[in-house]
């Protein structure tokens, strides 16, 4: 077979057609066509034109009866790695844009009925997960409506509620598929390895204090229990009861006007910000708080502990305050949309676990998700993905986007939706930080404004058409972004870019004012800018006038936008790679930088450099908080893995944000190798973190259930680390290096603390069930020894089930005699949902 190392040029002619075919035969072909994707080898011997690659294959099976009127269709499919080459006698290939590719029948070749065609694809990098395959491949014939190949649609598994990709072949050959090189030490987390891991960590301990995150201090006293079950009577003192309404509504016991147990509030001096003192005893509850936020936190702690003790609270005193003032969650609504109700559910869970910053990612290459009434094209065009190649009514279907306008992955927040989110967040003491990523990652905005330009130009209103046009006609720059786009970066040298951003900000800020929660922080993104301006006439003129170099243009954009935000009284925030290119003297006094460099790839130095500038540093490192990464090294776990092969709840729990180099003692590098991290840029005295944040990017997250799965329960680990300083975290010593296994990092203490945390998570899972949160149920650890099945679980309270062959599921209560292959899974404490099943023993 012939290998092609380059794509066809755009606009390659179609095979000649005798007549314009009818739609119905194409519909039937899309319904009946067989389609299979398989990853064959992540360690091939030959990688043409690149240092790392993988071999994969698309298998097309034609129906036995092929309508004669159907011309050979183009097959378009998502492929998130760059294609290096294809092997096919029948198809050529071309890149359309981003991850959207096309297989084009070669001139003179016809697809024959009943035949199977295999197209070998070599991609850059590796595909370690089945979830990297994108659904909704589709057939395109000129003059007809394109159609999704039915075999490539997603399915929802009944027992788990999770999305599946039936067209993707199982990945079973660990030797070929688990690693990309001989240096890579990573291994799949098989049932046997999971059993050993959970056994080594030890069984969870039954908590006395079930509050999560763990309070700074908790003491028990001797005395009778206080019975809350008959109701509580609120005595607000100097605190406005309306400011506590959401936290009061979370109490599992009725609020009564007379009788009941009094819950008395007072503002107390001497407590840290957001701090509180909760005292239970003598048939009374007293809450002393530094502020309203502290009172809310006290009520959340009371709710958790009261539920755990079933309303009969033994005497208890808690003194508590957060470690970091910024405890954040970032959710990407842009690549795949998740709507108001899902966000509101997350807001309530954030409040439960004392997180207080919600970073909403609302603008990306693949979608714009916020209504801006002055620019309706943003949501008329930029919100949807469909088959309009001109992108006049929608965007091209990137990331396997469902072209149905009503699909859940399409959509946007109306201004009413956004106000609902702001009101809910304000009631829970959560600041909403909106973000429309710029100047890169802006394709949805650019294409939407180009559709606006064409509409107004056609109407003869050239001035209005030009006002928000984000394309400079004379710019001939050629580039490819990290995500393989050639048209996703705003031109930082034209006025329209800043006019557009000002218009968007005007409306967003007005909504914040309307909700009574002024916009305090705006996140501009500023990451992964491809340097797209080298041939821009406007940029050439600016560089000639100012002496700037092309590499300084990205920093110019950030500095200019940051200054404009400062004039509005808004703090600028951005991702660390872009922010690091700016000059401190040209930035405002108030700056937030989200550090997303990796622990082993420069993130420690980057953190310290930017903290030493006096900026507010929010740690967003992948190994701590990129929750779009897989939970485990397992081809059936969803998530990208470019930064970390796994981010499980234990790793997040054991992270030491106050001493970044120390984390190398327990966290290996991307290849699974224990590696020290040198503290090449020590922190200046008095510098440190403002907080930490979890990130959920949504490239592979298409359902709300998958949002829950990717966030929970590891978000509980992050909440613990953001709030509570662990005794086992060694104090930061400038310049200190911690080799793998360094005794200064007490593994035994971490394990003991983990067992207590795991016990509290086991309690929290019941509350997550009640909150309709579809958290991840980790597959059990399992092994067969001497013909007997032994199994254990990551967290307590999740019953284990097993079955032999296709038999009925049975509850696992202890080692049991089995034969052959055995499937095992866990189930939620309420019994309503099962986790993903795995097989132990026999042939898998």
């Amino acid at each position: 077979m012939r290998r092609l190392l380059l794509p066809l040029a755009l606009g390659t002619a179609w095979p000649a057609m005798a007549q314009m075919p009818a739609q119905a035969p194409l519909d039937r072909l899309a319904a009946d066509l067989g389609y299979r994707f398989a990853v064959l080898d992540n360690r091939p011997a030959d990688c043409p034109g690149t240092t790392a690659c993988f071999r994969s294959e698309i298998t097309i099976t034609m129906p036995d009866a092929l309508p004669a009127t159907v011309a050979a269709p183009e097959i378009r499919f998502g492929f998130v790695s760059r294609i290096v080459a294809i092997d096919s006698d029948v198809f050529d290939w071309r890149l359309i844009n981003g991850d959207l590719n096309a297989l084009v029948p070669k001139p003179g070749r016809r697809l024959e009925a009943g035949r199977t065609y295999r197209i070998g694809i070599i991609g850059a990098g590796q595909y370690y997960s089945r979830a990297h395959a994108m659904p909704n491949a589709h057939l395109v014939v000129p003059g007809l409506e394109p159609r999704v190949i039915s075999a490539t649609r997603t399915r929802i598994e009944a027992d788990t509620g999770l999305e599946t990709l039936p067209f993707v072949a199982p990945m079973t050959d660990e030797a070929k598929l688990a690693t990309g090189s001989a240096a890579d030490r990573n291994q799949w987390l098989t049932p046997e390895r999971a059993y050993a891991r959970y056994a080594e960590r030890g069984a969870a301990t039954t908590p006395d204090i079930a509050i999560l995150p763990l309070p700074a201090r908790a003491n028990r006293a001797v005395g009778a229990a206080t019975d809350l079950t008959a109701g509580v009577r609120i005595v607000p003192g100097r605190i406005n009861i309306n400011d506590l309404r959401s936290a009061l509504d979370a109490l599992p016991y009725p609020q009564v006007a007379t009788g009941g147990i009094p819950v008395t509030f007072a503002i107390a001096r001497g407590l840290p910000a957001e701090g509180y003192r909760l005292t239970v005893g003598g048939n009374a509850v007293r809450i002393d708080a530094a502020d309203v936020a502290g009172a809310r936190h006290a009520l959340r702690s009371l709710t958790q502990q009261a539920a755990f003790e079933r309303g009969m609270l033994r005497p208890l005193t808690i003194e508590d305050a957060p470690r970091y003032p910024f405890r954040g969650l970032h959710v990407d609504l842009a690549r795949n949309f998740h709507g108001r109700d899902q966000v509101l559910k997350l807001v309530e869970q954030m409040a439960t676990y004392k997180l207080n910053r919600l970073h909403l990612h609302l603008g990306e290459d693949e979608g714009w998700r916020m209504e801006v009434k002055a620019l309706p094209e943003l949501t008329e065009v930029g919100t949807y993905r469909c088959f309009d190649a001109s992108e006049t009514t929608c965007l091209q279907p990137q990331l396997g986007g469902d072209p149905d306008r009503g699909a859940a992955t399409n959509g946007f927040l109306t201004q009413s939706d956004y106000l609902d989110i702001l009101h809910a967040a304000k009631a829970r003491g959560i600041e909403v930080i909106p973000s429309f990523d710029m100047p890169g990652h802006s394709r949805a905005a650019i294409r939407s404004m180009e559709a606006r330009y064409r509409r107004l130009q056609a109407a003869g209103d050239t001035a209005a058409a030009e006002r928000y046009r984000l394309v400079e006609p004379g710019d001939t720059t050629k580039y490819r972004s990290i995500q393989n786009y050639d048209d996703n970066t705003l031109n930082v040298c034209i006025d329209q870019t800043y006019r557009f951003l000002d218009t968007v900000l005007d409306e967003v800020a007005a909504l914040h004012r309307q909700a009574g929660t002024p916009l305090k922080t705006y996140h501009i993104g500023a990451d992964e800018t491809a340097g797209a301006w080298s041939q821009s006439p406007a940029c050439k003129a600016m560089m000639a006038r100012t002496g700037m170099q092309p590499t300084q243009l990205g920093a110019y954009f950030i500095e200019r936008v940051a200054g404009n935000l400062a004039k509005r009284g808004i703090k600028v925030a951005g991702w660390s790679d872009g922010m690091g290119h700016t000059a401190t003297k040209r930035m405002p006094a108030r700056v937030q930088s989200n550090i997303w460099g990796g622990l082993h790839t420069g993130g420690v130095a980057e953190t310290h450099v930017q903290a030493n500038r006096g900026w507010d540093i929010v740690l967003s490192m992948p190994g701590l908080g990129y929750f779009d990464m897989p939970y485990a090294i397992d081809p059936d776990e969803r998530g990208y893995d470019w930064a970390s092969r796994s981010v499980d709840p234990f790793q997040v729990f054991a992270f030491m944000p106050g001493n970044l180099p120390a984390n190398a003692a327990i966290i290996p590098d991307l290849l699974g190798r224990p590696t020290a991290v040198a503290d090449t840029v020590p922190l200046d005295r008095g510098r440190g973190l403002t907080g930490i944040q979890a990130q959920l990017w949504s490239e592979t997250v298409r359902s709300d259930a998958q949002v829950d799965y990717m966030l929970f329960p590891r978000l509980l680990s992050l909440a613990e680390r953001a709030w509570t300083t662990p005794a086992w975290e060694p104090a930061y010593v400038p310049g200190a290096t911690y080799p793998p296994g360094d005794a200064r990092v007490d593994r035994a203490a971490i394990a003991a603390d983990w067992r207590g945390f795991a016990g509290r998570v086991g309690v929290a899972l019941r509350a997550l069930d009640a909150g309709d949160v579809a958290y991840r149920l980790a597959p059990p650890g399992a092994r067969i020894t001497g013909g007997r099945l032994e199994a254990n679980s990551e967290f307590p309270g999740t019953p284990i089930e097993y079955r032999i062959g296709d038999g009925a599921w049975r509850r696992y209560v202890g080692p049991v005699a089995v034969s052959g292959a055995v499937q095992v899974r866990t189930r939620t404490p309420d019994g309503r949902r099962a986790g993903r099943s795995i097989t132990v023993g026999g042939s898998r």
Side-chain angles (χ1 to χ4, degrees):
M1 297 198 303
R2 178 178 164 217
R3 173 167 290 174
L4 301 175
L5 296 182
L6 295 173
L8 292 177
L10 295 180
T12 297
W14 284 76
M17 293 179 292
Q19 59 181 5
M20 183 65 70
Q23 184 71 47
L26 181 66
D27 295 350
R28 190 159 67 251
L29 178 60
D32 296 341
L33 188 71
Y35 187 105
R36 188 78 158 167
F37 176 79
V39 182
L40 304 178
D41 193 349
N42 275 316
R43 300 177 61 173
D46 180 26
C47 289
T50 185
T51 57
C53 69
F54 65 97
R55 287 197 307 111
S56 61
E57 184 177 76
I58 293 175
T59 303
I60 303 295
T61 302
M62 302 301 292
D64 290 335
L66 184 62
T69 54
V70 175
E74 179 173 293
I75 300 174
R76 296 189 180 180
F77 64 102
F79 200 87
V80 294
S81 291
R82 297 194 185 195
I83 292 178
V84 176
I86 73 163
D87 290 328
S88 177
D89 288 332
V90 178
F91 290 96
D92 288 325
W93 154 70
R94 67 185 175 98
L95 171 66
I96 296 173
N97 207 357
D99 72 282
L100 186 59
N101 292 266
L103 294 173
V104 184
K106 294 181 178 182
R109 298 304 301 262
R110 296 189 61 82
L111 302 180
E112 300 176 16
R115 285 282 305 276
T116 294
Y117 299 92
R118 300 183 185 279
I119 303 99
I121 300 177
I122 298 179
Q126 277 79 37
Y127 262 23
Y128 290 128
S129 169
R130 295 176 66 246
H132 289 183
M134 292 294 152
N136 298 313
H138 48 282
L139 303 179
V140 178
V141 170
L144 299 183
E145 288 293 321
R147 287 292 183 260
V148 171
I149 300 170
S150 296
T152 67
R153 290 192 180 276
T154 62
R155 305 287 189 272
I156 300 298
E157 190 176 69
D159 284 349
T160 66
L162 295 176
E163 178 192 272
T164 63
L165 300 170
F167 66 95
V168 183
M171 296 173 67
T172 58
D173 188 341
E174 184 174 10
K176 285 187 174 182
L177 300 177
T179 62
S181 70
D184 196 331
R185 300 184 188 179
N186 289 302
Q187 295 180 312
W188 284 348
L189 187 64
T190 61
E192 295 84 358
R193 291 170 186 152
Y195 183 91
R197 172 181 289 183
Y198 300 154
E200 180 183 11
R201 291 176 182 171
T205 55
T206 301
D208 177 43
I209 304 298
I211 298 167
L212 202 159
L214 185 69
R217 288 176 294 280
N219 297 296
R220 290 288 195 184
V222 177
T226 297
D227 183 359
L228 303 183
T229 59
V232 295
R233 176 167 46 88
I234 305 303
V235 184
R238 293 171 53 196
I239 294 180
N240 185 338
I241 197 69
N242 291 324
D243 291 336
L244 305 179
R245 178 53 52 200
S246 64
L248 288 169
D249 289 345
L251 282 168
Y253 307 108
Q255 298 166 41
V256 295
T258 58
I261 297 297
V263 180
T264 303
F265 292 86
I267 295 294
R269 294 181 178 179
L271 291 173
E274 299 187 71
Y276 66 90
R277 184 184 304 109
L278 171 64
T279 306
V280 180
N283 288 321
V285 176
R286 179 179 176 86
I287 292 172
D288 297 291
D291 44 33
V292 170
R296 290 193 189 105
H297 298 324
L299 283 169
R300 295 291 180 170
S301 293
L302 176 64
T303 296
Q304 291 184 43
Q305 192 64 25
F308 176 62
E309 297 190 49
R310 299 186 179 184
M312 300 296 293
L313 275 169
R314 292 180 290 124
L316 173 66
T317 300
I318 290 174
E319 294 189 17
D320 200 11
R323 179 181 193 179
Y324 293 119
F326 188 115
R327 305 177 301 281
L329 171 62
H330 161 284
V331 184
D332 176 5
L333 306 184
R335 289 188 171 98
N336 282 303
F337 182 59
H338 303 281
R340 182 201 66 170
D341 292 349
Q342 176 67 19
V343 176
L344 292 176
K345 181 171 73 173
L346 292 177
V347 165
E348 174 60 17
Q349 294 304 321
M350 288 177 67
T352 298
Y353 301 107
K354 304 183 177 72
L355 300 175
N356 66 350
R357 299 290 194 281
L358 176 61
H359 177 173
L360 291 179
H361 189 71
L362 297 167
E364 251 297 342
D365 294 325
E366 295 81 17
W368 182 279
R369 307 302 181 183
M370 177 73 190
E371 180 185 20
V372 179
K373 292 185 176 180
L375 302 170
E377 290 83 1
L378 287 170
T379 46
E380 292 172 353
V381 177
T383 279
Y384 300 101
R385 284 170 279 192
C386 72
F387 292 140
D388 178 2
S390 71
E391 296 188 307
T392 300
T393 60
C394 65
L395 304 179
Q396 293 174 335
Q398 302 287 338
L399 296 174
D402 190 329
D404 184 344
R405 203 169 180 87
T409 49
N410 289 324
F412 63 95
L413 297 177
T414 66
Q415 293 199 352
S416 176
D417 292 337
Y418 192 68
L419 284 169
D420 287 346
I421 292 167
L422 291 177
H423 285 132
K426 178 187 177 185
R428 292 159 176 81
I430 295 170
E431 178 187 346
V432 175
I433 301 173
S435 175
F436 305 93
D437 209 343
M438 299 177 187
H441 293 272
S442 294
R443 189 174 191 276
I446 293 168
R447 302 315 304 166
S448 298
M449 292 300 94
E450 198 65 4
R452 177 188 180 89
Y453 167 81
R454 290 195 298 266
R455 176 178 63 81
L456 293 171
Q457 188 74 355
D461 193 345
T462 299
E466 293 284 357
R467 184 168 178 77
Y468 291 103
R469 192 181 190 191
L470 301 177
V471 172
E472 184 187 17
D475 187 355
T476 59
T477 308
K478 303 295 183 185
Y479 67 94
R480 283 285 172 191
S481 72
I482 297 296
Q483 287 77 20
N484 224 14
Y485 292 105
D486 63 359
D487 58 353
N488 78 331
T489 304
L490 297 174
N491 189 317
V492 301
C493 304
I494 60 176
D495 290 339
Q496 291 96 320
T497 292
Y498 302 95
R499 184 180 299 121
F500 171 81
L501 178 55
D502 284 345
T503 300
V504 171
L505 279 174
D506 284 345
E507 290 203 21
V508 173
L511 291 171
H512 280 253
R513 288 193 297 272
Q514 185 177 340
T517 175
L519 180 60
K520 298 178 182 178
T521 307
Y522 175 74
H523 200 287
I524 63 175
D527 65 314
E528 295 185 333
T529 298
W533 315 293
S534 60
Q535 300 304 312
S536 158
C539 288
K540 286 182 176 181
M542 177 183 288
M543 288 186 288
R545 186 173 65 252
T546 64
M548 281 194 293
Q549 298 300 311
T551 55
Q552 297 174 297
L553 292 174
Y556 163 78
F557 171 83
I558 297 169
E559 292 160 0
R560 178 171 171 176
V561 172
N564 290 343
L565 288 169
K567 292 175 183 177
R568 295 170 176 253
I570 300 169
K571 180 167 69 174
V572 64
W575 299 107
S576 54
D577 59 330
M579 303 299 276
H581 291 142
T582 62
T584 305
K585 64 182 179 182
R586 291 195 291 268
M587 292 292 282
R590 299 169 61 233
V591 174
Q592 175 187 310
S593 181
N594 288 80
I595 305 293
W596 67 286
L599 175 67
H600 292 280
T601 54
V604 174
E606 184 179 54
T607 301
H608 292 178
V609 165
Q610 296 190 18
N612 290 344
R613 290 188 177 193
W615 291 353
D616 291 338
I617 300 301
V618 177
L619 198 66
S620 305
M621 276 186 173
L624 164 68
Y626 263 46
F627 290 175
D628 56 309
M629 301 284 146
Y631 276 90
I633 303 175
D634 183 327
D636 289 321
E637 283 292 339
R638 188 174 300 269
Y640 280 179
D641 44 41
W642 56 267
S644 181
R645 292 294 301 277
S646 68
V647 179
D648 75 348
F650 179 86
Q651 179 168 304
V652 180
F653 172 84
F655 202 91
M656 294 167 276
N659 188 343
L660 294 182
N663 288 287
I666 55 175
I667 299 177
D669 68 8
L670 184 59
L671 299 182
R673 302 172 301 188
T675 307
V677 175
D679 187 14
T680 57
V681 183
L683 275 172
D684 293 343
R685 184 182 297 275
R687 301 299 190 191
L689 303 181
T690 300
I692 63 178
Q693 178 173 280
Q695 283 68 227
L696 179 62
W697 303 101
S698 67
E699 288 97 330
T700 68
V701 181
R702 287 175 284 271
S703 69
D704 290 349
Q706 196 69 44
V707 171
D708 291 353
Y709 181 102
M710 301 303 282
L711 288 178
F712 297 94
R714 54 187 169 184
L715 187 62
L716 307 185
S717 297
L718 185 129
E720 182 97 348
R721 285 289 68 81
W723 185 273
T724 306
T725 304
W728 37 261
E729 179 181 289
Y732 173 72
V733 177
T737 298
Y738 297 78
D742 194 309
R744 288 172 293 177
V745 177
D746 190 340
R747 288 173 173 262
I750 295 173
D753 213 3
W754 164 262
R755 291 190 287 273
F757 172 77
R760 287 180 288 123
V761 170
V763 175
L765 296 182
R766 296 196 289 268
L768 293 176
D769 282 341
D772 197 29
V773 176
Y775 55 87
R776 177 185 185 250
L777 285 159
R783 67 182 184 181
I784 296 176
T785 303
R788 295 172 67 81
L789 171 68
E790 298 177 346
N792 55 12
S793 59
E794 183 175 40
F795 294 114
T798 53
I800 298 172
E801 298 176 335
Y802 73 98
R803 71 175 178 180
I804 301 171
D806 294 327
W809 287 99
R810 307 175 190 175
R811 177 70 64 90
Y812 174 84
V813 294
V816 59
V818 295
S819 61
V822 181
Q823 294 182 65
V824 290
R825 67 185 187 185
T826 48
R827 186 169 282 281
T828 55
D830 67 3
R832 292 188 301 167
R833 185 168 54 88
R836 178 168 60 86
S837 63
I838 54 173
T839 301
V840 61
S843 59
R844 299 177 199 166

